Amino acid sequence: MAANWKMYKSIAEARAFVAEFRKLGPMGGVTVAICPPAIALEAVRSGLEGSGIIAGAQNAYFENEGAFTGEISVKQAREAGAGCVIIGHSERRRIFGEKDELLNLKLNACIREKLPPIFCIGETLEERESGKTEEVLLRQLCKGLDGIGADSMGGFVIAYEPVWAIGTGKNATPEQAQEAHAFVRKVLEKQKGAAAAAGTPILYGGSVKPENIDSLMKGPDLDGALVGGASLKAESFAAIVRGAAKARGV
Ligand code: PGA
């Protein structure tokens, strides 16, 4: 279960969240990651020490260092304490023009630097309505994971995030989510083999809330969630994590 804070929270607010979240007690047998803005990564990492909760980055560049003003590298993110990094979020694709080929380079950098990526894919409303959902997911998976062998996929996480469900309050129905996740699993199996497909968690993202996590997590191919807006309040994110743990009996 991963929190994507996007460009929200000051360092002080991030610290306060972590302190409150830790007080809310055990979250069941669930792996939890919190991805703050990069400037709050160190504060979140140190605040989470000893909790088993991972601090993560929201984005990183593939070169280790160089004249890339404004960027941080996968290596720098790892050195700053990130235990995972979100790659290819739809806001990066749409607003910052990140293309599949760039994301492939970033994923390769994650392998090189041993920093597990949460690789985001998902269709727009227009693509869904014109029956292109599977085509889009297939393209994003093929190009993003191009040349990456099954033996390098350890630690990889895929996040299916339909763009029309992100920040809109309109989540995919559990059936729509399960259908897309099953398709992603099938593509992974075909491309990387059964072991890699079974061993790669697939998260759902898009308007996840405490009220819908239970029904979403009933889908057998849903392994967790990437949560934006509803992860900004400690109580709400804790309720989502607990809801997922309960739904999956862990
Ligand atoms: P949301 O965002 O939960 O606010 O819809 C999810 C995401 O963008 O990862």
Side-chain angles (χ1 to χ4, degrees), residues 65-227:
E65 59 181 17
F68 304 104
T69 301
E71 290 296 287
I72 59 164
S73 67
V74 171
K75 182 167 182 257
Q76 288 170 324
R78 178 176 48 71
E79 285 169 354
C84 64
V85 55
I86 300 171
I87 298 288
H89 190 279
S90 66
E91 286 147 19
R92 299 294 323 170
R93 292 177 186 260
R94 187 171 46 87
I95 304 169
F96 301 100
E98 297 196 358
K99 298 271 181 296
D100 296 314
E101 293 73 15
L102 174 67
L103 303 177
N104 179 256
L105 292 171
K106 292 185 174 200
L107 292 173
N108 274 293
C110 290
I111 295 168
R112 187 180 71 229
E113 296 304 319
K114 299 189 174 48
L115 185 63
I118 301 176
F119 176 43
C120 300
I121 56 173
E123 82 287 0
T124 62
L125 185 60
E126 198 189 344
E127 288 161 344
R128 174 163 281 267
E129 285 179 344
S130 54
K132 292 201 175 124
T133 299
E134 294 194 346
E135 188 186 310
V136 170
L137 298 180
L138 183 63
R139 191 203 73 226
Q140 292 174 336
L141 284 170
C142 284
K143 293 198 167 174
L145 301 176
D146 185 35
I148 295 175
D151 51 345
S152 299
M153 294 274 298
F156 267 56
V157 173
I158 307 280
Y160 167 63
E161 298 204 306
V163 179
W164 47 272
I166 296 176
T168 58
K170 187 175 179 279
N171 60 286
T173 64
E175 294 73 27
Q176 285 171 323
Q178 168 55 28
E179 192 183 11
H181 281 228
F183 177 74
V184 171
R185 187 92 63 199
K186 201 173 78 186
V187 172
L188 288 177
E189 188 171 341
K190 226 167 160 191
Q191 290 184 351
K192 313 291 175 193
T200 303
I202 307 173
L203 312 183
Y204 166 79
S207 298
V208 171
K209 306 179 256 285
E211 300 79 50
N212 60 23
I213 188 66
D214 182 61
S215 55
L216 283 164
M217 288 302 294
K218 295 244 157 72
D221 286 299
L222 275 87
D223 301 312
L226 180 54
V227 188

